[in-house]
Amino acid sequence: MQMEKVALSKLSKEERRSFFQSKYDYYHSFNVRMIVVSCLAYLSFFATDCGIFGRFSYETLLSRVIILLPFVLYLVLDRKVKDYRIMVPCTYLMIHMIIWCTDWATYLLPDRQHAISGMIIMNLIFMCAGFAAPFAYSVIAHALLIADIAVANIFIQYENLSMMYMFNIPCVVAVCAMHLMMQGVYLEQFLDKNKLERLVVHDQLTEVHNRNILKGISETGTGKLTIFPNLDVCMMLIDIDYFKKVNDTYGHEAGDKVLIALAGIIKSSLRITDYVIRWGGEEFLVIIPGCTQAQAMQIGEKIREKVESADNGICKTTVSIGVALYQGGDYHETIKNADDAMYKAKEAGRNQVVLFG
């Protein structure tokens, strides 16, 4: 677990992006509700304005209600965009807009002694926003609060400017430190979650997918593949010839090494978008989207040749491969067709690639 606490810097760019997106997705609902509550609370301070003036505060009405415009735009954008790289900056922009509007209203008020009290609320909002944000984003956005104070002072002329800084700078440091610790905690959860998910859909021996992966790419009940719309999809079943003889002659540990070597050859022959699934003891199912039957036969032949010429450290092996085109409906039917083609390859002498049909 100690390694996981410092693992963020060791993750690849794509892995870090996946982590930050996962963090944003997890706290998304809380994040949006926080903005809703913050905007409603800001609007409610119009009642305070009226109390300070002792009448209806016409002077601050526009500075209060104008927040509704970016607020509505934020909600519309939130329904359409889920990328944290866009929505986290938009969230912080909304918070700073509340600050700017507050400064505007404060400038119009005859009594400005409650400015520090308002900053307590703003620091609390920044703290809440950091749950869904990458640490770097929260540091930059929260540090800009100090710049907001400096700019606002040009117009407002705070009587207690030094106290504003003395109060807010420690708050910024404390909140950012808390965000850093929280990010580390969520990273541990993220890594543990990924490990569990990998165990659920991966074969521990060969490190390719297991059958559970099909639940995520097919429609429950119908068996229809759902993630390859408008693409030709080919499937192939690959079976090691005379694998029982390998186990009987060299032992099951040796047989495992043969399986691992075959899985490596199959993966190296395919794209990252293709699926390799350990289907049975020595059988592997391959799903290739965006692939014609002719292309699938070429890929199958490439795998067959690689296996035949490879040194797996145990013994020479060959494979029989059946290829079938998925034409919609239940994917099990296509697997059956590939299985029939594979057995035709075995009946024809093994070490062959056969197309169904």
Side-chain angles (χ1 to χ4, degrees):
M1 293 300 293
Q2 189 64 29
M3 288 182 62
E4 293 177 355
K5 292 180 180 179
V6 295
L8 185 59
S9 62
K10 298 180 181 179
L11 298 182
S12 68
K13 183 178 179 180
E14 286 301 317
E15 288 171 331
R16 287 196 298 271
R17 184 176 297 175
S18 176
F19 164 68
F20 289 130
Q21 187 64 52
S22 173
K23 186 170 182 274
Y24 174 77
D25 292 340
Y26 186 80
Y27 288 108
H28 168 257
S29 178
F30 172 80
N31 193 68
V32 174
R33 291 175 186 177
M34 179 270 299
I35 290 295
V36 171
V37 171
S38 298
C39 288
L40 292 177
Y42 174 75
L43 287 171
S44 71
F45 280 112
F46 180 70
T48 304
D49 299 344
C50 293
I52 293 174
F53 275 102
R55 56 174 172 78
F56 189 86
S57 178
Y58 297 102
E59 293 87 345
T60 61
L61 180 60
L62 179 60
S63 63
R64 295 298 184 184
V65 299
I66 201 170
I67 197 66
L68 292 174
L69 178 59
F71 175 57
V72 170
L73 291 175
Y74 175 84
L75 293 180
V76 171
L77 185 64
D78 179 72
R79 293 180 65 87
K80 297 179 180 296
V81 180
K82 303 303 178 186
D83 191 331
Y84 78 92
R85 293 170 296 177
I86 297 174
M87 292 311 301
V88 170
C90 286
T91 297
Y92 280 121
L93 180 59
M94 274 299 308
I95 297 172
H96 281 284
M97 283 184 174
I98 293 173
I99 294 173
W100 301 335
C101 290
T102 300
D103 292 338
W104 181 7
T106 302
Y107 174 75
L108 298 170
L109 290 171
D111 184 355
R112 301 168 184 173
Q113 64 177 328
H114 302 293
I116 289 183
S117 301
M119 285 301 173
I120 296 175
I121 298 173
M122 296 316 303
N123 278 286
L124 177 61
I125 294 173
F126 274 111
M127 183 183 72
C128 294
F131 286 112
F135 173 66
Y137 286 39
S138 66
V139 169
I140 295 170
H142 202 170
L144 287 174
L145 174 63
I146 307 303
D148 289 336
I149 294 171
V151 172
N153 184 62
I154 297 173
F155 306 96
I156 298 174
Q157 295 294 309
Y158 294 116
E159 294 180 3
N160 50 1
L161 180 62
S162 60
M163 288 299 297
M164 293 281 282
Y165 287 133
M166 290 174 64
F167 171 78
N168 282 284
I169 291 175
C171 284
V172 171
V173 173
V175 169
C176 289
M178 185 194 71
H179 287 166
L180 180 61
M181 290 185 287
M182 287 172 52
Q183 182 165 282
V185 171
Y186 186 79
L187 178 60
E188 292 179 21
Q189 296 176 357
F190 174 78
L191 294 173
D192 288 343
K193 175 174 171 285
N194 280 357
K195 285 180 181 178
L196 289 173
E197 288 178 349
R198 182 172 178 81
L199 287 174
V200 169
V201 298
H202 280 79
D203 176 61
Q204 288 183 274
L205 175 65
T206 60
E207 296 188 351
V208 300
H209 293 298
N210 60 31
R211 294 188 182 208
N212 290 331
I213 192 66
L214 288 163
K215 296 176 183 178
I217 64 174
S218 64
E219 192 176 81
T220 303
T222 67
K224 180 180 179 181
L225 296 181
T226 57
I227 65 169
F228 313 120
N230 305 318
L231 287 178
D232 290 328
V233 178
C234 281
M235 297 186 183
M236 60 175 69
L237 269 177
I238 303 172
D239 185 83
I240 301 176
D241 297 325
Y242 302 114
F243 184 69
K244 184 177 183 302
K245 185 181 293 185
V246 174
N247 279 333
D248 292 344
T249 304
Y250 301 98
H252 287 281
E253 284 191 17
D256 288 345
K257 291 180 180 179
V258 171
L259 289 170
I260 293 168
L262 174 58
I265 290 172
I266 296 172
K267 286 191 291 184
S268 68
S269 305
L270 299 169
R271 305 163 301 180
I272 194 170
T273 54
D274 302 328
Y275 288 81
V276 184
I277 302 168
R278 188 175 179 191
W279 193 245
E282 70 273 19
E283 282 187 341
F284 292 84
L285 172 68
V286 177
I287 302 176
I288 314 174
C291 179
T292 65
Q293 293 180 88
Q295 290 169 330
M297 290 293 290
Q298 291 176 355
I299 294 170
E301 185 61 29
K302 184 168 94 172
I303 292 172
R304 186 198 67 76
E305 290 176 355
K306 282 186 176 181
V307 173
E308 186 178 26
S309 60
D311 180 8
N312 57 33
I314 304 298
C315 62
K316 288 291 183 180
T317 55
T318 60
V319 291
S320 296
I321 302 175
V323 178
L325 176 67
Y326 173 72
Q327 296 178 301
D330 193 339
Y331 68 82
H332 290 95
E333 187 64 29
T334 306
I335 294 175
K336 180 180 179 302
N337 294 341
D339 189 57
D340 290 343
M342 183 189 69
Y343 274 99
K344 286 182 180 179
K346 288 188 176 294
E347 290 171 357
R350 295 179 168 79
N351 194 24
Q352 297 184 39
V353 184
V354 173
L355 177 66
F356 175 80

